Amino acid sequence: MKILFRAGFAVLLSAACLACSNSGESKGDAYFSQGEYSQAVNEYSETLKFSPNDVTTLYNRGRAHEEQGEYDSALIDFEKAAQIDPNNFQVLLSISNIHYSQKNYSKALIYSSKAEEISGAPAMASFMKGRALHQLGHTDDAMKSYNNAIKLDKNFGQAYFNRGMLKVATKKKKSACEDFQLAKGLEYPGAEDALNKYCK
């Protein structure tokens, strides 16, 4: 069974790997790939009847719930997966992402920080920590996290963009415009609009 990723967020987590078998696509995965999330949930639930602690299936069912806007159910699956495998940064970042989308920035920070502390964590962990800190008004720490994300991944367009926005907020216009230009070069959506708005 393969790991299912969300567009954008998931692409940046594509290096993450769960301890699971890669024996091919399950019925649940097939339904998920076709956008039939309710059917995917049903298939994953059947699998979990026999393997209730299968982290991959829990995660993928959580993703299917999330795609349907069933965030409470998604969190239940992600949190159970995190209890079974507490060092799985992919699961931790998914929990952080839901909390962030619901404006629970303190909880988003907790889970992204846990993910960042794990050896081999991707740049996304630092980025998500940075954006939570940014929303909480901790500008210096947010800048450090964005810097770390970019250090880990020089092609992280969204990190350049967010760092640019933070620099705008802290009156560092010239440096912000440099970040927006880098984000534009990496084809990050919104970078050109930011250049037009702040850098004319």
Side-chain angles (χ1 to χ4, degrees), residues 106 109 130 132-144 166:
S106 294
L109 176 60
L133 287 163
H134 189 161
Q135 291 293 342
L136 290 166
H138 302 303
T139 55
D140 290 344
D141 289 334
M143 189 70 73
K144 289 176 185 175
L166 183 58

Side-chain angles (χ1 to χ4, degrees), residues 9-44:
F9 169 72
V11 169
L12 294 163
L13 281 177
S14 59
C17 179
L18 293 172
C20 62
S21 68
N22 291 315
S23 56
E25 188 171 71
S26 71
K27 286 183 180 179
D29 297 343
Y31 282 125
F32 188 101
S33 297
Q34 295 163 15
E36 297 179 26
Y37 304 118
S38 181
Q39 288 283 67
V41 166
N42 291 340
E43 289 294 336
Y44 293 137

